[in-house]
Amino acid sequence: MNRYRYTIDAMHCQGCVKRMREAIQAEDTDAEVSGAPAEKRLEVTSTLSDTRIQALLADAGYPADEAVSKRSAAARSLTVPGMNCQGCVKRMREAIQAEDADAEVSGAPAEKRLDVTSTLSDTRIQALLADAGYPPQDTPTIADGAEGNSDQHFSEAPAQTIAKGHGRDETDINGIESDSSDTSPMQRFSISGMTCAGCVNAVQKALARTPGVQRAQVNFASETAQVSGSASSEALVAAVKSAGYGAQPIENLREATAQRQQNAASQMRRHAIESAVSLSLGIPMMLAMFFHTPRFAGAERIVWLVLGLATLGVLATAGRRFFDGAWKAARHHQANMDTLIALGSAAAWLYSMAVLLLPSAIPEGARHLYFEASLMIVGLIGLGQTLELRARGRTSQALSRLLDLQSATARVIRGEADQERETEVDIEAVEVGDRIRVRPGERLPVDGEIETGDSYLDESMLTGEPEPVHKRPGDRVSAGTVNGRGSLIYRTTQVGDDTQLGRIVDQVSRAQESRPPIGALADRVSAIFVPSVMIAAVVTALIWLNVGPAPQMIHMLVAATTVLIIACPCALGLATPISTMIGIGKAAEYGILIRSGEALQTASRLTTLVVDKTGTLTEGKPKVTDARYWQDESLAKSVAVALERDSEHPLATALLAYLGDDTTPSKIRDFESLTGRGVRATLADGRVALLGNAALMREQEIDIATAEREAIQWQSQAASLIHLAVDGQFAALYGVRDALRHDSREAIQRLHDAGLKVVMLSGDGQAAADAIAREAGIDDVRAELMPGDKQAAIQALQARGERVGMVGDGINDAPALAQAEVGFAIGQGTDVAIESAGITLMRNSLHGVGDAIAISRATLTNIKQNLWGAFGYNSLGIPIAAGILYPFTGMLLSPMIAALAMSLSSVTVVSNANRLRFFRPDAGRRDKTEFQAEETSA
């Protein structure tokens, strides 16, 4: 079947469409013809050729003025290394459907596979994916049975991802994905030499231009770069060096963090020493200028020449880094903050030396010295950078605390049963399968499963839950948690970066280095900021020289120098990433793992939260509370056990627990799972058995009216119903109740207080759903939904202008999680649900959603404050430095004041961001709980 689109000017109504349909179907009865008269558009799906269809339309009196032959839709499979979740799939789907609205796009992030059925050519699809930031790695592979031709040769075997890297396809019980397979590994680098946002732009461009790079992201606050693609680390390091900066691959995050902190401490000491040297000479010279007017003759002139040479010595030592940075930037045709400082301080020194060496060449009114200005510029900026480094060192404390949870050694039990011995080894020497002993009060070194012993473990550092968790043989334990009073022996299941703690550290680190969309404007401005300031300084100088009052030379020098010095690209570069780092780190402290800066920003703007019932509002541990039988009870139990014994659904687990191990399952065949309704199978004697909800019974025309009274009564008590029918006759009804979590009502009230509307989506009957909603305080309820209906419900909310978040934990929640603006996956949910979500909650409580939204809002508010401060400072500071207030005050801003203001601007941004470290998203709740506890004790 080929698909075509035509423009038919003679088409005015659906009657015209009907006549054209009849003309085409006269030769192709299976043809599909639809039209949009208002747009004069006719779409045809037919086996007929384009030429024949146009002839038939012309014979029917509707000639096609424009024909666009659409290729028959071909199904392709592509390997997309950058696809990590269903959110990625959603963005790729939107990119393709922007040109082919009928395209079908689905993806398997774990396999890095994207399936596309579209009329677009392969070249066009690859281009669209690349533009969307997800370039495919290889040639698309056509699916078996796909129709139509292609502009490329296809192999018959489906594309497969083979290379091992940092993909995500395994998730442990707490939902933290493990690295498994990714054809495009993410490489990290420590970047040195960056001084402002312009440097970030230069490094990012150098990395992006390297062959094989798919995506490059540079973070100024952490001085790191993340690069995905096939480019080698050697090529990437060379690219950064060619741009005038240093790069070093990060092999071990813990070592790299320690090294960065050590480098920052060393750099801070060096800046402090350089600042002290500059100010020790600059401050006395500045004070001298208040009480003495320099003379340019005799011995005093010699003294000033000596002081000028001393100033040059300070600039060549304490201020050398600014000139080195400016020179490197100039060699690579760039300009950065060092350029502005070097130009400003050099201009002041050169002018002063010209006055001393050639006083007669300069008008008497313009003979002033500015040696102290050069020294104070270097000294004050150095002091500001010292304070900034000190403040920035506190921004990565959350990640450092996570890294500190990793033990350096482990006590391993090795040897045969009669010759076992305990050995303390380095953590790198622990292997999967090793047996580990943990004594009371010790921190667990790796993940594993308990073999002997039981104890209470403090998992608060991973989940945010303060209460210790009781662990027994067979339970899984995680690295970084702290053992209580018991002694444990457990067998290792994951080590190193594959442990839950290792994956948390990795995810937090990656998220901290991502950028929220709000920072895009600052990035664009930063790219042109320094050249713009230099142009502004030149224009300022020309204006003062040509139309300024006497002495023009002095006014020109002071104004131009002050413009160069007061501009602060550093504040712009720090405004967004430093708050993002702290905000995501703060979230991790509360057991909230935010996938990216985009998810962080989106969560702050939600207006509606959609929640699943089972496992989200409720405990997720349903129990059968009621049962009644209308056929032989033993037969009904045997059939129910047979139908549910291989299911992992919580309701199946509850039913099996209720029926007990003593019930012998019936023999069944032809088992079939009916999505959203239940199951069906054939018994040994040929009778058909059905187990599921009321919709399944109605679909199969089973009369359940006899159980109506029980159904109404049980559902009014928030029970879910399981119906059993055998041989077309209703056999049994079970009532299963999943208790509401103890904190769900409080959490929902908290969300209401935050201005969110809460909607519950459930596959349960309306009565049971309404009962839970009343108990929890839900605003709106949608019940008896099929899995696909949840996604449609979210689309309907979005169509009304709502910004929707979704909380879920099951496979059937994955499409809805991907559809929502941001998805929240419960940490103990399924792998697919977690892959589809932007935020993962390590604890099973809706308070985690409240915490995540509170942190995101606080972080976005902080970022906006930083951006307003950075933009406002530069927008006001540069005109004032240029002399816009001179007509009113008769004074120009001193370059020394400009240097002080410039230093304090970036210190202010960093200090404001650090306020997030003291933010408590649950402050109100905890204060209320503590007050109630005190009131109770009183």
Side-chain angles (χ1 to χ4, degrees):
M1 300 286 281
N2 296 312
R3 298 169 63 192
Y4 306 94
R5 180 180 296 160
Y6 301 95
T7 299
I8 312 290
D9 284 340
M11 175 171 52
H12 302 290
C13 62
Q14 287 297 329
C16 301
V17 177
K18 179 182 178 183
R19 285 185 283 276
M20 289 185 284
R21 182 184 299 115
E22 292 171 345
I24 294 171
Q25 290 180 345
E27 291 197 11
D28 179 6
T29 56
D30 295 324
E32 297 177 5
V33 181
S34 61
E39 302 174 16
K40 305 295 184 182
R41 188 181 76 246
L42 184 75
E43 295 193 356
V44 181
T45 302
S46 173
T47 57
L48 299 176
S49 68
D50 181 27
T51 305
R52 183 57 186 157
I53 291 175
Q54 292 194 55
L56 291 171
L57 292 175
D59 291 343
Y62 298 94
D65 295 326
E66 178 186 347
V68 181
S69 174
K70 296 183 69 178
R71 296 161 44 83
S72 56
R76 306 162 174 85
S77 289
L78 303 96
T79 299
V80 183
M83 173 171 52
N84 296 312
C85 63
Q86 288 295 332
C88 302
V89 177
K90 177 184 175 183
R91 287 185 280 275
M92 290 185 282
R93 181 185 300 116
E94 292 171 347
I96 293 173
Q97 289 181 344
E99 293 201 6
D100 181 4
D102 298 322
E104 297 177 4
V105 182
S106 60
E111 302 172 18
K112 305 296 180 183
R113 190 186 75 248
L114 186 74
D115 297 322
V116 181
T117 302
S118 172
T119 58
L120 298 175
S121 69
D122 306 314
T123 303
R124 186 56 187 155
I125 290 174
Q126 292 187 55
L128 290 172
L129 293 177
D131 291 342
Y134 299 93
Q137 187 184 43
D138 53 11
T139 301
T141 305
I142 195 166
D144 294 339
E147 300 178 1
N149 300 317
S150 169
D151 58 355
Q152 294 190 26
H153 174 70
F154 298 109
S155 62
E156 294 182 0
Q160 294 182 351
T161 302
I162 300 173
K164 183 175 182 180
H166 298 283
R168 305 285 190 182
D169 68 345
E170 296 178 3
T171 310
D172 72 359
I173 57 171
N174 284 316
I176 305 305
E177 304 149 334
S178 63
D179 293 347
S180 180
S181 61
D182 187 347
T183 56
S184 174
M186 178 76 73
Q187 299 185 66
R188 295 180 183 176
F189 297 87
S190 175
I191 307 296
S192 59
M194 296 191 299
T195 59
C196 66
C199 302
V200 173
N201 186 61
V203 173
Q204 192 154 307
K205 283 183 177 180
L207 290 170
R209 286 195 297 262
T210 305
V213 170
Q214 295 176 352
R215 184 180 300 177
Q217 194 166 50
V218 181
N219 188 295
F220 181 37
S222 63
E223 296 182 330
T224 57
Q226 288 188 143
V227 184
S228 60
S230 58
S232 66
S233 60
E234 292 80 7
L236 295 171
V237 169
V240 174
K241 287 184 177 179
S242 69
Y245 303 89
Q248 184 176 354
I250 295 177
E251 302 294 344
N252 183 294
L253 187 59
R254 183 174 185 173
E255 293 178 1
T257 302
Q259 184 63 47
R260 185 169 71 236
Q261 292 173 345
Q262 183 178 342
N263 292 342
S266 174
Q267 195 174 16
M268 187 168 64
R269 287 193 299 271
R270 187 169 64 252
H271 288 353
I273 294 171
E274 292 170 350
S275 176
V277 170
S278 299
L279 294 177
S280 63
L281 182 60
I283 291 176
M285 290 178 65
M286 180 183 67
L287 294 175
M289 290 296 182
F290 284 118
F291 305 103
H292 178 73
T293 300
R295 301 177 185 275
F296 307 111
E300 185 172 341
R301 181 185 180 192
I302 301 299
V303 171
W304 283 111
L305 282 171
V306 171
L307 289 174
L309 293 175
T311 301
L312 177 62
V314 172
L315 292 179
T317 53
R320 178 174 178 172
R321 57 192 175 90
F322 298 117
F323 293 92
D324 286 345
W327 175 243
K328 286 181 181 179
R331 281 171 46 210
H332 295 90
H333 310 289
Q334 300 166 6
N336 56 21
M337 187 180 73
D338 290 335
T339 306
L340 302 179
I341 297 170
L343 285 175
S345 56
W349 184 84
L350 288 172
Y351 182 83
S352 301
M353 289 302 291
V355 169
L356 285 173
L357 295 175
L358 303 168
S360 59
I362 297 174
E364 185 175 353
R367 296 174 189 170
H368 294 274
L369 299 181
Y370 292 97
F371 292 131
E372 83 286 359
S374 297
L375 294 168
M376 295 299 289
I377 287 170
V378 171
L380 289 173
I381 291 176
L383 178 62
Q385 289 179 336
T386 302
L387 297 175
E388 178 189 326
L389 283 170
R390 183 178 180 182
R392 280 169 63 178
R394 295 193 290 266
T395 63
S396 58
Q397 284 186 354
L399 182 61
S400 297
R401 280 196 290 268
L402 284 173
L403 290 169
D404 289 341
L405 296 178
Q406 296 176 335
S407 301
T409 61
R411 191 174 291 103
V412 180
I413 302 174
R414 288 174 177 162
E416 299 299 329
D418 56 343
Q419 295 181 340
E420 286 184 345
R421 55 189 178 87
E422 293 184 15
T423 307
E424 189 162 324
V425 301
D426 290 340
I427 194 67
E428 292 81 8
V430 179
E431 300 176 355
V432 173
D434 279 344
R435 298 172 70 223
I436 308 293
R437 181 184 295 278
V438 183
R439 294 171 179 168
E442 290 184 339
R443 193 178 298 279
L444 277 65
V446 292
D447 290 0
E449 186 173 304
I450 296 177
E451 289 189 343
T452 61
D454 68 273
S455 183
Y456 282 86
L457 265 61
D458 180 4
E459 298 181 340
S460 60
M461 62 290 299
L462 299 182
T463 66
E465 289 286 2
E467 293 298 324
V469 180
H470 189 203
K471 297 290 185 178
R472 306 176 181 85
D475 289 344
R476 297 191 64 177
V477 292
S478 300
T481 57
V482 178
N483 186 25
R485 297 181 179 179
S487 179
L488 299 174
I489 295 177
Y490 69 96
R491 190 169 296 277
T492 303
T493 56
Q494 280 93 24
V495 298
D497 293 339
D498 292 330
T499 63
Q500 181 184 349
L501 176 61
R503 295 194 293 274
I504 289 175
V505 169
D506 178 72
Q507 187 165 330
V508 170
S509 175
R510 293 190 187 209
Q512 284 185 330
E513 292 169 12
S514 63
R515 296 181 185 175
I518 193 174
L521 176 60
D523 292 340
R524 288 194 294 270
V525 172
S526 298
I528 60 170
F529 183 81
V530 173
S532 299
V533 170
M534 294 172 67
I535 292 172
V538 171
V539 171
T540 298
L542 291 174
I543 291 174
W544 279 103
L545 183 63
N546 289 284
V547 298
Q552 290 93 339
M553 289 286 291
I554 294 297
H555 289 149
M556 177 192 73
L557 174 68
V558 172
T561 301
T562 307
V563 167
L564 291 172
I565 298 302
I566 203 169
C568 187
C570 190
L572 278 176
L574 288 170
T576 301
I578 201 154
S579 295
T580 302
M581 284 181 63
I582 298 175
I584 289 175
K586 174 61 67 174
E589 292 178 10
Y590 283 82
I592 302 163
L593 302 184
I594 299 175
R595 189 183 292 273
S596 66
E598 182 180 357
L600 176 74
Q601 177 172 334
T602 306
S604 70
R605 295 166 19 209
L606 296 179
T607 59
T608 300
L609 188 71
V610 172
V611 298
D612 180 45
K613 181 179 77 70
T614 304
T616 303
L617 286 172
T618 62
E619 293 285 354
K621 300 175 181 178
K623 296 179 181 179
V624 175
T625 55
D626 302 280
R628 185 175 173 187
Y629 299 91
W630 280 264
Q631 292 188 32
D632 180 69
E633 182 175 340
S634 62
L635 172 65
K637 289 182 176 180
S638 297
V639 173
V641 170
L643 292 173
E644 294 284 49
R645 62 180 174 177
D646 293 327
S647 174
E648 295 182 357
H649 194 282
L651 295 183
T653 304
L655 186 55
L656 290 173
Y658 174 76
L659 296 174
D661 297 332
D662 297 334
T663 303
T664 303
S666 301
K667 293 183 179 181
I668 60 173
R669 66 176 190 273
D670 302 330
F671 179 86
E672 182 181 2
S673 176
L674 306 171
T675 304
R677 290 163 292 168
V679 296
R680 174 172 55 197
T682 303
L683 302 179
D685 58 8
R687 290 182 295 173
V688 175
L690 300 167
L691 185 72
N693 56 23
L696 176 61
M697 299 296 118
R698 288 192 293 268
E699 180 185 285
Q700 299 297 320
E701 299 181 352
I702 304 298
D703 184 9
I704 58 174
T706 56
E708 184 176 357
R709 182 174 63 83
E710 287 81 359
I712 293 174
Q713 180 182 351
W714 297 353
Q715 285 185 318
S716 66
Q717 300 169 357
S720 301
L721 302 180
I722 300 178
H723 303 74
L724 175 66
V726 179
D727 197 24
Q729 300 297 315
F730 188 59
L733 181 68
Y734 298 96
V736 185
R737 195 174 192 280
D738 190 5
L740 193 71
R741 291 187 188 278
H742 69 281
D743 61 352
S744 288
R745 184 173 182 83
E746 181 187 355
I748 289 171
Q749 183 58 49
R750 180 184 175 192
L751 293 169
H752 286 157
D753 294 342
L756 274 78
K757 176 182 178 182
V758 183
V759 179
M760 186 180 84
L761 305 182
S762 175
D764 289 342
Q766 189 69 50
D770 286 341
I772 283 286
R774 284 193 301 271
E775 186 178 355
I778 300 290
D779 298 301
D780 189 13
V781 182
R782 314 284 174 86
E784 300 180 6
L785 298 180
M786 300 289 285
D789 295 337
K790 294 183 179 181
Q791 184 178 9
I794 291 177
Q795 289 174 333
L797 289 168
Q798 291 170 330
R800 298 208 304 260
E802 300 286 346
R803 290 189 287 272
V804 184
M806 166 72 186
V807 188
D809 67 340
I811 291 176
N812 61 341
D813 296 327
L817 287 167
Q819 178 65 41
E821 270 80 2
V822 63
F824 299 84
I826 297 294
Q828 291 184 352
T830 64
D831 304 5
V832 177
I834 290 164
E835 282 186 352
S836 305
I839 298 175
T840 299
L841 309 177
M842 297 295 293
R843 51 191 168 128
N844 294 337
S845 170
L846 279 178
H847 275 301
V849 179
D851 290 344
I853 292 174
I855 290 171
S856 66
R857 288 180 175 178
T859 303
L860 264 292
T861 298
N862 193 273
I863 290 174
K864 289 175 183 177
Q865 292 169 348
N866 286 344
L867 288 174
W868 274 108
F871 279 117
Y873 164 79
N874 285 292
S875 299
L876 291 174
I878 293 175
I880 291 173
I884 195 172
L885 296 180
Y886 184 85
F888 309 102
T889 63
M891 296 173 60
L892 287 175
L893 190 68
S894 167
M896 291 175 285
I897 302 299
L900 180 61
M902 184 265 201
S903 300
L904 291 179
S905 65
S906 39
V907 173
T908 302
V909 166
V910 176
S911 299
N912 183 59
N914 269 298
R915 291 192 306 113
L916 283 172
R917 295 191 302 112
F918 307 105
F919 177 73
R920 288 178 57 189
D922 58 350
R925 178 168 64 94
R926 290 196 173 184
D927 291 345
K928 180 179 177 182
T929 303
E930 291 166 2
F931 172 77
Q932 290 174 341
E934 291 174 3
E935 193 177 55
T936 302
S937 61

